[in-house]
């Protein structure tokens, strides 16, 4: 049977604060009847305002949810309330799921099997994506020319900004025309980066941050223009490099990373058709953010044996449900397929295997975490976040908070404020903490208590 989640893990699944509050209101045993739990399913009937109770069930192996209530939130308050009841050991074990639950589980398995078949069929033609839509090399060449022209214009625009000064950048519509021209040039990745520059103006140190963002945009434009030259130089110098020299990012990986940042897509089918990495992956936590009129969810994973970091991204329009299949604090035995690049991070869950017990993942020292981040930045200078797990650290340094270890500390992100929950969990004692590294500091995600139970920060 899957290990029971605790209250923090359940509430972290809620789509918003009102759902968390409503779920706690329907989590008492008196609200429920016909409850049961098996190795992979949880179900029950919740008394509502109508004559018939709402039927809620959860596929614990994903997780996935179903409820007969009319709510458009996902998961709804009834599914969350049922999970809270289960987390408090208030649901009896059952030998078999109820008939209506078994029917739903069978339907899900059938849909999953059909999806695997479709993916396998699509993977056979994934290579055509490199030649452009419908495999037309002329259209691919036209796009290459448009992108090159758009990035050349970006270089000139950035040079003008530095020559004229950045005082005029205080207008929030300063980058709108440039972003539209980059979209017309079929470079959506760069356009997205430009459109997000508005957020920089809200910070106290906006001049320094804006110059840093301009530098990264310039680096991307120049890297794309010089890619053929860089690839040739990397391949020519691979054999001549002394053995003691640090390894350079593979030329092919650098090529894919730059093109991905510019906006050349890598299809899901291409990724799933590549090699996979099997490991027990600890789900460290997630963060939601608004991105290009969508809500993006970043879920951070880390492999116990390989030590690899992974990022699973999902998107949804505002108000619609995001993927909640990866539960903070759990661990999954799974095959992950990574997007290509010189510092592979983003991944897709290709295949899940049997569940595994959760617990604190192995942690590293602060120095080891920084070395890992430095290696990732060497392969992808535009990287803005990376998951780390650090052991034997305590929150310290009020009012400028940091995670302190035996030989130093790493500052927390300004948005962390005073990390009261982390301070309470620590009580002055060292902890293992999972966090998201960013150029502005660490965003704490989770920690674990003395009994190995996860605490969502």
């Amino acid at each position: 049977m899957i290990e029971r989640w605790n209250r923090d893990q359940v509430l972290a699944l809620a789509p918003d604060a009102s759902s968390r509050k409503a779920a706690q209101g329907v989590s008492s045993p008196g609200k429920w009847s016909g409850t049961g739990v098996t190795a992979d399913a949880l179900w029950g009937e919740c008394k509502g305002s109508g004559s018939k109770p709402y039927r809620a069930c959860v596929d614990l192996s994903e997780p996935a949810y179903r409820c007969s209530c009319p709510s458009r939130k996902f998961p709804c308050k009834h599914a969350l309330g049922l999970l809270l009841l289960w987390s408090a050991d208030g649901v009896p074990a059952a030998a078999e799921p109820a008939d209506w639950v078994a029917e739903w589980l069978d339907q899900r398995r059938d849909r999953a099997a059909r999806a695997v078949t479709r993916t396998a069929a699509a993977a056979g033609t994934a290579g055509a994506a490199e030649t452009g839509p419908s495999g037309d090399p002329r259209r691919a060449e036209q796009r290459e020319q448009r992108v090159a022209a758009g990035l050349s214009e970006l270089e000139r625009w950035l040079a003008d900004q530095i020559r004229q000064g950045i005082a005029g950048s205080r207008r929030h519509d300063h980058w709108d025309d440039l972003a539209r021209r980059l979209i017309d040039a079929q470079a959506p990745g760069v356009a997205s980066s430009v459109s997000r520059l508005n957020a920089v103006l809200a910070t106290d140190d906006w001049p320094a941050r804006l110059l840093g963002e301009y530098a990264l945009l310039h680096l991307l434009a120049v890297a794309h223009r010089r890619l053929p030259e860089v690839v040739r130089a990397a391949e020519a110098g691979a054999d001549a490099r002394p053995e003691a020299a640090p390894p350079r990012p593979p030329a092919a990986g650098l090529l894919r990373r730059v093109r991905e940042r510019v906006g050349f897509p890598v299809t899901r089918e291409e990724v799933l058709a590549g090699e996979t990495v099997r490991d027990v992956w600890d789900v460290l936590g997630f963060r939601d953010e608004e991105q290009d009129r969508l809500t993006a969810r970043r879920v951070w994973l880390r492999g116990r044996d390989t030590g690899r970091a992974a990022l699973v991204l999902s998107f949804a329009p505002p108000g619609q449900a995001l993927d909640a299949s990866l539960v903070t604090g759990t661990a999954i035995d799974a095959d992950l397929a990574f997007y290509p690049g010189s510092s592979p991070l983003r991944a897709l869950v290709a295949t899940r295997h049997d569940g595994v017990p959760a617990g604190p993942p192995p942690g590293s020292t602060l120095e080891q975490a920084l070395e890992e981040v430095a290696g990732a930045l060497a392969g992808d200078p535009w990287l803005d976040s990376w998951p780390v797990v650090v052991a034997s650290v305590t929150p310290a340094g009020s009012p400028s908070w940091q995670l302190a270890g035996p030989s130093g500390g790493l500052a927390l992100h300004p948005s962390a404020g005073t990390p009261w929950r982390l301070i309470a969990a620590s009580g002055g004692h060292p902890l293992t903490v999972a966090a998201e590294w960013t150029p502005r500091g660490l965003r704490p995600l989770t920690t674990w208590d003395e009994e190995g139970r996860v605490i969502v920060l």
Side-chain angles (χ1 to χ4, degrees):
M1 181 172 290
I2 292 176
E3 184 177 344
R4 266 203 320 273
W5 308 333
N6 65 32
R7 184 184 181 84
D8 279 354
Q9 290 172 283
V10 172
L11 292 178
L13 298 171
D16 51 41
S18 62
S19 296
R20 286 191 288 272
K21 183 177 180 180
Q24 295 175 70
V26 296
S27 62
S28 59
K31 292 279 188 179
W32 293 89
S33 62
T35 57
V37 61
T38 60
D40 57 0
L42 171 69
W43 66 92
E45 298 182 353
C46 183
K47 183 179 179 181
S49 56
S51 58
K52 292 183 179 180
Y54 295 124
R55 285 182 165 182
C57 53
V58 182
D59 182 347
L60 296 172
S61 63
E62 289 292 337
Y65 316 92
R66 184 182 184 184
C67 184
S68 60
C69 76
S71 173
R72 294 185 179 181
K73 294 184 178 181
F74 185 83
C76 69
K77 67 177 182 180
H78 304 106
L80 289 168
L82 179 61
L83 285 166
L84 286 172
L85 184 63
W86 174 56
S87 72
D89 199 17
V91 178
E96 297 290 339
D99 292 343
W100 57 277
V101 179
E103 180 182 359
W104 177 63
L105 293 174
D106 290 341
Q107 291 172 352
R108 285 183 49 76
R109 295 187 186 104
D110 290 343
R111 286 196 298 269
R114 290 196 296 269
V116 170
T117 302
R118 288 195 301 269
T119 299
T125 58
E130 283 297 316
T131 59
S134 304
D136 186 348
R138 288 185 303 172
R139 294 182 65 180
E141 179 61 26
Q142 288 174 353
R143 181 178 182 185
E144 295 284 357
Q145 293 172 358
R146 289 174 180 169
V147 169
L151 294 183
S152 179
E153 180 182 358
L154 174 64
E155 286 190 61
R156 291 193 297 271
W157 186 92
L158 289 169
D160 289 342
Q161 299 303 301
I162 300 304
R163 183 168 52 251
Q164 297 168 5
I166 62 173
S169 302
R170 291 293 290 175
R171 298 194 336 266
H172 283 272
D173 61 350
H174 183 69
W175 301 278
D176 291 354
D177 287 341
L178 176 63
R180 283 192 289 265
R181 292 197 297 273
L182 288 167
I183 291 174
D184 292 340
Q186 296 183 277
V190 188
S192 178
S193 297
V194 169
S195 65
R196 289 198 295 269
L197 291 175
N198 279 331
V200 174
L201 300 181
T203 60
D204 293 335
D205 57 343
W206 71 266
R209 288 195 60 201
L210 184 60
L211 288 173
E213 295 295 336
Y214 280 174
L216 290 173
L217 285 170
H218 183 263
L219 177 64
L220 183 59
V222 172
H224 183 270
R225 173 165 51 84
R226 297 182 59 189
L227 265 180
E229 174 188 341
V230 171
V231 171
R232 286 195 300 269
E235 292 174 345
D239 297 331
R241 188 170 62 252
E243 291 185 4
R248 297 173 181 168
L254 179 61
L255 171 67
R256 296 299 294 265
R257 178 60 66 200
V258 171
R259 288 176 65 82
E260 182 184 351
R261 292 286 182 183
V262 168
F264 288 91
V266 180
T267 67
R268 180 183 181 90
E269 288 74 20
E270 283 183 274
V271 176
L272 293 175
E275 294 184 1
T276 59
V277 179
R278 181 172 180 179
D279 203 344
V280 173
W281 301 92
D282 286 291
V283 184
L284 305 180
F286 69 87
R287 178 164 62 89
D288 295 344
E289 61 181 3
E290 296 298 321
Q291 182 174 319
D292 301 332
R293 300 180 183 178
L294 295 172
T295 302
R297 171 163 291 177
R298 297 181 173 209
V299 183
W300 297 109
L301 310 177
R302 195 165 193 90
R304 290 187 184 177
D305 295 329
T306 62
R308 289 192 64 165
L311 166 65
V312 177
L313 273 175
S314 61
F315 301 89
Q320 293 193 17
L322 285 154
D323 178 21
S325 62
L326 296 170
V327 180
T328 300
T330 62
I332 59 169
D333 182 358
D335 299 309
L336 263 57
F338 284 83
Y339 281 72
S342 46
S343 294
L345 178 64
R346 186 182 175 188
L348 298 173
V349 179
T351 308
R352 287 176 181 252
H353 306 283
D354 293 337
V356 293
S364 63
T365 65
L366 293 172
E367 292 83 356
Q368 290 169 334
L370 285 177
E371 288 178 6
E372 181 183 344
V373 171
L377 286 169
D380 183 359
W382 306 277
L383 193 72
D384 60 0
S385 52
W386 188 269
V388 295
V389 181
V390 287
S392 301
V393 292
T394 54
S398 175
S400 298
W401 288 95
Q402 62 177 341
L403 290 183
S407 58
L410 285 179
L412 297 186
H413 192 278
S415 66
T418 301
W420 293 115
R421 196 169 177 82
L422 182 59
I423 295 169
S426 168
H429 301 289
L431 294 169
T432 294
V433 178
E436 177 186 359
W437 171 89
T438 76
R440 302 188 68 200
L442 298 178
R443 296 178 187 266
L445 297 170
T446 49
T447 188
W448 289 263
D449 64 17
E450 295 177 352
E451 299 179 4
R453 293 175 300 193
V454 67
I455 300 171
V456 180
L457 301 173

